[in-house]
Amino acid sequence: MTDFLGSHILSVKQFDRDAVERIFEVAHRMAPYAQRQKRTKVLDGAILGNLFFEPSTRTRVSFGCAFNLLGGQVRGTTGMQMSALAKGESLYDTGRMISSYSDVIAMRHPESGSVAEFATGSRVPVINGGDGANEHPTQALLDLFTIQKELAVYDRSIDGMHIAMVGDLKYGRTVHSLSKLLCLYRDLKVTLVAPDELSMPKEIVDLLTDHHAQIEIKNKIDGQIGADIVYQTRIQEERFPTQEEADRYRGQFRLNHEIFSTHFKSNTVIMHPLPRDSRSEANELDNDLNEHPNLAIFRQADNGVLIRMALFAMTLGVENKVADYEYDVPWYSQK
Ligand code: NCD
């Protein structure tokens, strides 16, 4: 059984199915606070060190908001150049120092394994907000939570579902973490759509196969894909050796209204970890799907706050005390 109290969250590999279900149960209980129906001071006085050494909007801000919604304070830094890492400080030393100012730390860094290295110096729990092309565990949890909620509308569950992952499956850490989590579920069909050069790493395909997922590999969106979920991704241009190489794949995996209607089902749920690249030459998820009821991308991002609140509450041991510190919301809220 996974113990959350005081633990780092570095990889989805540390979770079993029971742990995932416990996180989801706590996340559901966070909804009234995220929706501003109630407030809680359960983490009053606690400090989150929110360290983002790579670009981020959603993940960084939602980690911060999640902590604020539990009553805690946030201290953060962004960008390598503005931190002492630019002066040659080791990740270990940075971890050691920041942990003395914080009760918990969220961190993103461009190198695989960097967050785990940082955590060796930390005296408080460290949550991986994305380490290079390696992992993004909180994103995978919010993706899976979204899948569960969206499929429940059609009386379906994660067991037995068919998911299609599309785009840059080589450098996309979200699909790496999500695939590992999917190994906890039964009777899955996984369609991987990517150019050969950007295909899913072999060890992850092997892992899915070892867990009896039925794998289908395609190098473009063609034929009747069907699928309960289509998970579109951005070409991770910042991880390519050269920009020219990244540009080669731009616009190749476009999902628009017409392509969606041709290759997917009328109830296929459309997901994307965001940000989507909306520049005309990329446009992997077209604006003409913005009003489509199956487009779950903003619900998916909203779920990130619930998952991150749950993880903070569980690593700090207050998941059953949130309501004890509850108080009213005096302002008019449209949430
Ligand atoms: C993703 C990431 O940073 O890995 N974004 C996110 O955290 N929601 C996906 C991406 O940048 O394409």
Side-chain angles (χ1 to χ4, degrees):
M1 186 154 141
T2 311
D3 193 8
F4 287 94
L5 189 65
S7 299
H8 301 310
I9 294 176
L10 301 174
S11 164
V12 291
K13 284 186 271 181
Q14 69 196 79
F15 303 129
D16 56 17
R17 191 159 160 164
D18 169 70
V20 171
E21 275 156 25
R22 278 190 292 141
I23 297 167
F24 289 0
E25 183 269 317
V26 178
H28 279 293
R29 283 198 272 126
M30 297 299 149
Y33 307 99
Q35 289 159 5
R36 317 295 199 272
Q37 289 153 13
K38 299 173 189 171
R39 302 164 78 190
T40 177
K41 288 183 182 167
V42 71
L43 288 185
D44 187 21
I47 294 176
L48 164 69
N50 206 22
L51 312 183
F52 276 72
F53 299 115
E54 211 190 28
S56 173
T57 304
R58 251 155 307 273
T59 308
R60 180 169 57 88
V61 177
S62 75
F63 265 121
C65 286
F67 207 72
N68 288 150
L69 286 164
L70 290 167
Q73 306 278 315
V74 182
R75 289 283 170 270
T77 180
T78 51
M80 205 77 88
Q81 286 316 315
M82 296 305 287
S83 82
L85 290 173
K87 298 180 179 175
E89 187 169 52
S90 68
L91 286 163
Y92 176 90
D93 283 3
T94 311
R96 180 78 178 75
M97 282 320 306
I98 299 295
S99 70
S100 70
Y101 311 139
S102 318
D103 297 276
V104 58
I105 295 170
M107 182 188 171
R108 168 174 288 187
H109 190 282
E111 283 161 35
S112 293
S114 52
V115 182
E117 192 181 328
F118 172 95
T120 60
S122 174
R123 309 285 168 95
V124 301
V126 175
I127 304 182
N128 183 357
D131 62 323
N134 183 36
E135 279 232 28
H136 194 345
T138 63
Q139 180 72 40
L141 287 165
L142 77 88
D143 288 340
L144 197 67
F145 185 66
T146 304
I147 292 171
Q148 188 181 63
K149 281 178 41 172
E150 297 286 328
L151 292 183
V153 174
Y154 304 106
D155 247 345
R156 305 276 322 262
S157 60
I158 303 172
D159 288 316
M161 73 155 177
H162 175 192
I163 182 169
M165 298 187 204
V166 182
D168 182 353
L169 307 184
K170 176 180 179 185
Y171 295 114
R173 56 191 169 201
T174 71
V175 284
H176 299 166
S177 287
L178 179 59
S179 300
K180 291 176 196 165
L181 261 194
L182 288 176
C183 290
L184 301 174
Y185 293 81
R186 287 186 300 274
D187 304 323
L188 300 187
K189 180 171 176 189
V190 182
T191 301
L192 302 170
V193 187
D196 295 339
E197 304 80 11
L198 299 185
S199 59
M200 185 68 94
K202 184 178 176 309
E203 65 271 18
I204 297 182
V205 179
D206 288 348
L207 211 59
L208 283 163
T209 313
D210 290 348
H211 288 83
H212 312 292
Q214 185 194 333
I215 308 286
E216 177 185 37
I217 295 187
K218 287 176 169 286
N219 49 26
K220 56 176 185 296
I221 299 176
D222 63 2
Q224 189 52 36
I225 296 181
D228 300 299
I229 305 285
V230 54
Y231 189 103
Q232 178 68 292
T233 63
R234 179 180 66 86
I235 300 296
Q236 309 280 295
E237 56 184 12
E238 65 277 30
R239 307 205 193 289
F240 281 71
T242 63
Q243 185 62 43
E244 294 74 59
E245 228 173 294
D247 288 343
R248 226 182 285 155
Y249 303 102
R250 298 188 114 193
Q252 277 193 26
F253 290 89
R254 191 162 274 193
L255 194 60
N256 60 23
H257 204 289
E258 192 194 329
I259 294 170
F260 177 72
S261 318
T262 311
H263 302 285
F264 293 92
K265 299 190 294 185
S266 60
N267 64 0
T268 301
V269 176
I270 306 166
M271 295 177 60
H272 188 305
L274 299 178
R276 53 176 158 168
D277 187 343
S278 294
R279 287 168 288 193
S280 57
E281 67 276 18
N283 215 357
E284 74 250 4
L285 189 51
D286 205 287
N287 284 337
D288 72 357
L289 285 162
N290 280 0
E291 300 306 319
H292 200 293
N294 301 18
L295 188 77
I297 58 175
F298 300 115
R299 299 193 284 276
Q300 183 182 355
D302 286 350
N303 286 332
V305 173
L306 304 182
I307 291 293
R308 292 179 177 121
M309 287 177 81
L311 292 173
F312 286 136
M314 294 167 88
T315 50
L316 297 175
V318 297
E319 70 271 32
N320 295 320
K321 297 185 186 149
V322 177
D324 299 342
Y325 292 85
E326 202 170 278
Y327 60 117
D328 288 342
V329 176
W331 65 84
Y332 171 67
S333 173
Q334 286 188 313
K335 285 188 177 282

